[in-house]
Amino acid sequence: MKVKTVLHITRRIGGGAGEASSRLHQALLNNGVDSKLLVLWPEESHIFHDSFFLWAKKNQKIRLFIYQLLSRLHIYNLIFQAPYTSILNICNHPEVKKADLIILHQVDNFINARTFLSKTQDKIICWRCPDFQPLTGKPYPSKLRWIWKGVRFPNKFKWVFTTETARKIALEELPLMNEKSTLTIPNIIPANIINSAQQNHFPRTKSMVFISVNIHDERKGLQHLLEIWPALEKRGYALDVIGDYNFEMSNHEKITYHGSLSSTEIFKILARSLFLITPAKQEMFGQTSIESLICGTPVISTPTIGAMDILTEYENGIFIKCNDSLNGHSILEAIDEFEKTPWNNDQISMNSRVKYHEDKSLLYLNKISSL
């Protein structure tokens, strides 16, 4: 099937999944593909993309009124508590009807998935998995449990994983999945972002970087780094922390809390740092790791699902050896390994730019279209 029009559907632009949808959309546009981005979250309606809520105000007034009323009463999620059920009807949106290929990103309970899939069987549908929630109803469950028992997926439907490691885990733990219905497509980086990173040439200082949308998210592991900070400070390190935080946090002399920054500002910090450190408990891909590598900056990371595909030890990063639980000693050992390893920053940057460049988006589109 020749794909002429691609539609991305995402809950919002912010966050890892939302940003990935925006970047893939932009990459396809840059390569001459008719790509559209439909945003579901109401607060995103001011952004220059197609907004489902602005359309629904005119075309689904009753459904939207009920949704907003139940949400204000804090009972919407109680009524529509089954995964991916909704009173909203995305199927009738004109961009949904027009698209040849629809890529679902993070959609939560804005979409009634069963209805949506039954009404779009003539299209190629891909559902990207930024975590395991689309498959199991939970982002990172201790054991994967299939929530789609009895549901018949269309022949042209595919689950899309960002790493091969995640795809293999899903196939091993969910017997009702099959290999033919799965694809692995990494997140890509648009050329303008790569070019922005390429312009930074700064002397490396003895500093490390931690990045998270929410630095208080315990899954990201900043607390483990702060526990051993006195030992790292004695070694002469400084730490740049990027991400939302409350301003009541005490600022240590060698720790700088930047808050949220633009990609351009983040690249400047990464380009002058020795390494990015991500002691995360779980990570499906690791967008910040890719951005660090594009800047030629190695990554010290726990062996998460994303890091296992992105990092090659002693070439572009070091793994924190944590068996059952992460501790400060393991982080210090990983930093010891980093300090003993010679790093070719230019080679790290070049390899990553080739691997994740937006030109790959056309290859992925052809891969999807030929299925």
Side-chain angles (χ1 to χ4, degrees):
M1 177 180 176
K2 184 174 178 57
V3 172
K4 296 180 181 179
T5 303
V6 178
L7 175 65
H8 306 267
I9 302 179
T10 186
R11 178 172 65 96
R12 60 182 303 179
I13 300 297
E19 190 168 275
S21 68
S22 181
R23 289 183 173 185
L24 181 55
H25 161 64
Q26 188 61 51
L28 291 173
L29 283 178
N30 293 348
N31 281 285
V33 176
D34 184 3
S35 178
K36 300 290 177 64
L37 179 58
L38 181 62
V39 181
L40 305 174
W41 191 258
E43 282 77 7
E44 304 289 347
S45 60
H46 64 284
I47 294 179
F48 191 68
H49 298 100
D50 286 291
S51 167
F52 171 76
F53 266 76
L54 290 182
W55 174 82
K57 282 182 178 179
K58 297 179 180 179
N59 300 277
Q60 289 189 3
K61 294 180 181 179
I62 295 177
R63 286 178 182 269
L64 186 59
F65 172 77
I66 295 173
Y67 167 82
Q68 292 176 319
L69 176 62
L70 297 180
S71 296
R72 283 194 209 102
L73 296 173
H74 303 291
I75 58 175
Y76 181 82
N77 290 333
L78 296 176
I79 297 173
F80 295 94
Q81 59 183 319
Y84 303 105
T85 57
S86 177
I87 193 172
L88 302 173
N89 188 356
I90 312 296
C91 306
N92 291 335
H93 192 281
E95 294 299 339
V96 172
K97 293 183 176 181
K98 188 172 79 171
D100 301 311
L101 164 63
I102 297 175
I103 303 177
L104 302 177
H105 293 267
Q106 192 172 26
V107 295
D108 296 347
N109 276 30
F110 285 91
I111 282 185
N112 189 317
R114 290 163 177 80
T115 302
F116 185 87
L117 293 174
S118 68
K119 291 188 176 182
T120 55
Q121 296 197 37
D122 60 323
K123 305 175 185 296
I124 301 174
I125 306 292
C126 294
W127 197 335
R128 284 173 65 85
C129 299
D131 48 39
F132 290 117
Q133 185 156 336
L135 304 173
T136 68
K138 296 181 179 179
Y140 294 98
S142 55
K143 181 175 177 57
L144 303 191
R145 298 184 184 278
W146 187 243
I147 62 172
W148 300 106
K149 190 174 182 180
V151 176
R152 294 187 61 183
F153 290 90
N155 293 330
K156 298 176 183 177
F157 176 88
K158 303 294 174 185
W159 297 106
V160 177
F161 298 90
T162 53
T163 67
E164 187 64 13
T165 300
R167 190 181 79 91
K168 288 179 179 178
I169 290 173
L171 288 171
E172 289 171 3
E173 296 194 23
L174 298 172
L176 292 177
M177 289 194 72
N178 63 80
E179 196 160 343
K180 290 182 179 180
S181 68
T182 64
L183 286 173
T184 299
I185 299 179
N187 291 351
I188 52 88
I189 309 295
N192 64 306
I193 294 179
I194 289 179
N195 293 337
S196 175
Q198 203 167 8
Q199 295 171 5
N200 296 311
H201 300 283
F202 304 110
R204 300 274 173 178
T205 61
K206 194 168 184 179
S207 61
M208 63 184 78
V209 185
F210 174 90
I211 305 174
S212 176
V213 173
N214 175 10
I215 67 172
H216 298 291
D217 184 350
E218 291 190 1
R219 183 170 60 89
K220 299 295 184 177
L222 177 61
Q223 70 274 16
H224 298 297
L225 191 58
L226 296 179
E227 286 168 5
I228 59 165
W229 185 248
L232 292 171
E233 187 180 31
K234 285 181 181 179
R235 298 191 187 190
Y237 280 105
L239 171 64
D240 290 287
V241 180
I242 301 172
D244 287 342
Y245 72 102
N246 67 60
F247 289 88
E248 295 177 0
M249 294 182 67
S250 59
N251 255 349
H252 194 281
E253 183 181 351
K254 290 284 189 176
I255 301 178
T256 304
Y257 292 92
H258 294 274
S260 296
L261 299 177
S262 67
S263 294
T264 301
E265 293 170 314
I266 292 173
F267 289 149
K268 288 179 180 178
I269 294 174
L270 286 170
R272 63 171 168 75
S273 302
L274 290 184
F275 58 86
L276 171 75
I277 186 159
T278 59
K281 182 179 180 181
Q282 297 138 337
E283 196 73 74
M284 199 72 155
F285 183 71
Q287 192 77 15
T288 55
S289 293
I290 297 301
E291 293 176 351
S292 180
L293 297 178
I294 285 173
C295 292
T297 305
V299 178
I300 297 179
S301 173
T302 44
T304 60
I305 293 172
M308 294 294 286
D309 274 32
I310 293 171
L311 300 183
T312 301
E313 202 158 33
Y314 303 106
E315 288 186 17
N316 62 3
I318 296 290
F319 286 121
I320 299 170
K321 306 299 189 294
C322 48
N323 296 323
D324 296 327
S325 61
L326 181 65
N327 58 64
H329 182 68
S330 300
I331 296 176
L332 289 173
E333 284 186 338
I335 293 175
D336 288 339
E337 289 298 307
F338 174 88
E339 293 175 342
K340 292 186 293 185
T341 304
W343 299 100
N344 188 331
N345 301 100
D346 290 338
Q347 190 67 47
I348 290 172
S349 176
M350 184 175 67
N351 291 347
S352 300
R353 291 173 186 178
V354 170
K355 185 175 182 180
Y356 300 104
H357 195 276
E358 68 175 27
D359 289 347
K360 295 293 191 297
S361 64
L362 285 182
L363 296 176
Y364 299 145
L365 184 61
N366 293 332
K367 185 177 180 182
I368 293 170
S369 303
S370 62
L371 295 171

